[in-house]
Amino acid sequence: MKVWVDGSGALLAGQIARICVVFENSKTIEKEIGKKTNNEAEYMALIEALKDKDCKNCTIYSDSQLVVGHLTKGWKRRSKNLYDLYSEASTLMHKKNCKVEWIPRGKNKAGKILEKK
């Protein structure tokens, strides 16, 4: 199954961070996640997808070069706020036999939904 994920951070007063997950079977998950950085929101969207019962043996598409770089290219995690998120995502990916791939923003179905918010 294919899954698209995206997160939108919020650090300024009045902003609310959001995540979106779109499954190939048309199931969509949207959530507000409070005050988070953009990178935290990107990881949280991925984790939300991986925790879903429909997510097994999936290819998950993300437009976050940072998240995909951490998980597939061995990029260093310099931000302490991302370490636990990385660990959780990595563990779930192995447990669910899923992989993550980078796609351009314009091809991210989840990103298109967040743009409308």
Side-chain angles (χ1 to χ4, degrees), residues 12-116:
L12 301 176
Q15 289 182 326
I16 299 171
R18 291 178 166 77
I19 61 171
C20 183
V21 179
V22 177
F23 292 85
E24 184 175 31
N25 65 6
S26 299
K27 177 179 178 177
T28 301
I29 300 169
E30 295 180 72
K31 289 187 176 181
E32 293 182 350
I33 56 171
K35 293 254 183 232
K36 302 291 180 190
T37 68
N38 192 63
N39 291 329
E40 288 170 326
E42 296 281 1
Y43 263 112
M44 291 176 79
L46 174 61
I47 291 166
E48 186 72 27
L50 290 164
K51 286 183 173 180
D52 192 273
K53 66 177 177 57
D54 292 333
C55 191
K56 294 176 187 153
N57 304 311
C58 291
T59 299
I60 303 172
Y61 298 99
S62 171
D63 58 31
S64 171
Q65 290 184 8
L66 181 100
V67 170
V68 174
H70 284 170
L71 292 165
T72 67
K73 298 177 183 177
W75 290 7
K76 292 183 181 181
R77 293 160 310 279
R78 294 188 175 114
S79 299
K80 291 181 182 180
N81 64 319
L82 300 180
Y83 188 77
D84 289 342
L85 295 169
Y86 163 82
S87 294
E88 185 175 5
S90 181
T91 299
L92 287 167
M93 283 176 57
H94 292 293
K95 181 179 177 182
K96 297 282 196 103
N97 195 35
C98 294
K99 63 181 181 176
V100 63
E101 292 184 11
W102 181 83
I103 56 169
R105 175 90 176 149
K107 293 186 177 184
N108 190 339
K109 293 181 180 185
K112 291 178 182 182
I113 291 172
L114 282 182
E115 285 176 355
K116 296 176 184 177

